[in-house]
Amino acid sequence: MYLCIAMSINPYRHYDFYDERVGHVVIYLRPTSRRITAKWLDHKLTINAPTSIDIDRLRKYYEESIVPFALEHKPKTVNSIDSELLKVDVEQSDTIESHYAQIKYLKSDGKKVHLCLIISSADDINAPDTQTIINDGFKKCMKKVVANTVVAEAWQIARQLGVESRISQIKATLANSRLGSCSSHGVISLSHLLATRTWDERVNTITHEFAHLTHMNHSPEFHALHQQYLDHILKSKVVVR
């Protein structure tokens, strides 16, 4: 029924419709295709078929073969994290080898990066080793976002505060014990954990480390400078997107 309706309203070679059983379906009729193939692609059931195929045959194949395949192999979200900068969904798929995770970029709306961590359907989601795979994948996704977004925020804040020339490098790390650090050589390290923090929390960490460029301690002078930096940035509302 769904395929019949879709093909009756679209006479061209591309059919895009929603099937309540499987979700979003896209069909491409291609002159280079020699057979009918179906796969899940970005949460869409994508079907390729020869341009010359008989439509009645395609409808029958869709109902008898493709829909059962799609229902059996539909990607399943089993875990996720969602923050101001990053959204990561964990899905199980038959296309991934056991005990392995693949990071797939889905989209960015200019504010939040959406990634998908795909693991094998053969792995027990509750097993400790699978949880380790997922956690390691989360860390890599978070570090990627910090490297591409939070580091840029930090450089803009540095320019706003006039400390850019005193910084030799700003980098993302996998540190778990603290959100940031500053070396005596002007290297600012920002933890992957900042990917799940709010703007105010990220600014607090960044300005904290910039204050260490002047005071490599936590003296009253350090805290006063940190507060000065923090107040200046929060009032000016410097935002990198």
Side-chain angles (χ1 to χ4, degrees), residues 79 90 117 119 125 130-139:
N79 203 342
V90 181
L117 186 66
I119 63 174
I125 192 64
T130 305
Q131 288 297 313
T132 298
I133 292 171
I134 292 174
N135 290 334
D136 287 346
F138 277 160
K139 289 180 180 179

